[in-house]
Amino acid sequence: MLEKYETQINTQLERVQEQLAEAQGAQLAQLHQQVARNYWELAYLGLAQGAVFEHVLERAQFHIQQAIDYKETSELLLLQGRIALQQRQLEQAHKCFTQALAMGMHKQHVIPYLAEIAYEAGRYHEIPVLLAQLPEAIRQRYPFLAIVGYWHVSA
């Protein structure tokens, strides 16, 4: 099933990259966004590994930046932050996520990533504070129920 999905993603990548050569303006930005999302899917689903994985993330980062250069949106910043986080560029990821929040992205979409950055950076004291900002309904759902419980118990 993953092999079929990988083939679909690669086919979409080829098609969209062909369209990039002739596109302009908003269409160009939209195509860059599509390419970035396709590369992100390859990485996120584990369909690329090793050096290919790093290359896929670099291409995703390049194309998302091209889309952002045209028009910065909270959705694009969220994706850029997720790519940067996967690349272990914690400062860049943090910047993207906080900008997404400032642009109106709902906390429930960003807080888990900020908590992950805090964990990766060894700033464990920040994690319970961040998780407490999630809406109660989110904190009571999988996977957050166990995570919130752990960090409140160990805090």
Side-chain angles (χ1 to χ4, degrees), residues 20-148:
L20 275 173
E22 299 172 13
Q24 294 180 348
Q27 182 188 22
L28 184 62
Q30 182 183 20
L31 292 172
H32 277 294
Q33 181 179 354
Q34 287 178 10
V35 170
R37 286 188 187 288
N38 284 324
Y39 277 124
W40 171 248
E41 286 292 316
L42 288 172
Y44 182 74
L45 294 175
L47 299 173
Q49 298 177 4
V52 174
F53 179 77
E54 295 303 322
H55 173 73
V56 162
L57 289 175
E58 288 171 12
R59 299 310 302 157
Q61 192 66 265
F62 171 81
H63 287 283
I64 202 66
Q65 186 60 55
Q66 297 302 306
I68 287 171
D69 286 347
Y70 182 78
K71 183 178 181 186
E72 188 175 80
T73 68
S74 60
E75 181 184 79
L76 292 175
L77 287 166
L78 181 68
L79 179 57
Q80 186 178 42
R82 292 183 71 191
I83 295 165
L85 183 57
Q86 190 68 49
Q87 292 175 308
R88 307 216 26 90
Q89 297 173 355
L90 301 183
E91 288 181 32
Q92 175 65 23
H94 189 272
K95 178 183 170 189
C96 292
F97 295 138
T98 55
Q99 282 181 272
L101 279 173
M103 292 182 77
M105 175 74 61
H106 195 280
K107 285 183 178 183
Q108 74 186 38
H109 300 298
V110 180
I111 294 294
Y113 299 114
L114 292 174
E116 185 175 346
I117 291 169
Y119 178 83
E120 293 293 331
R123 298 189 313 263
Y124 305 120
H125 64 281
E126 294 178 15
I127 297 169
V129 175
L130 286 164
L131 294 176
Q133 294 178 46
L134 288 172
E136 182 66 25
I138 300 294
R139 285 186 278 152
Q140 295 299 317
R141 283 193 288 175
Y142 175 84
F144 294 105
L145 184 60
I147 295 168
V148 168

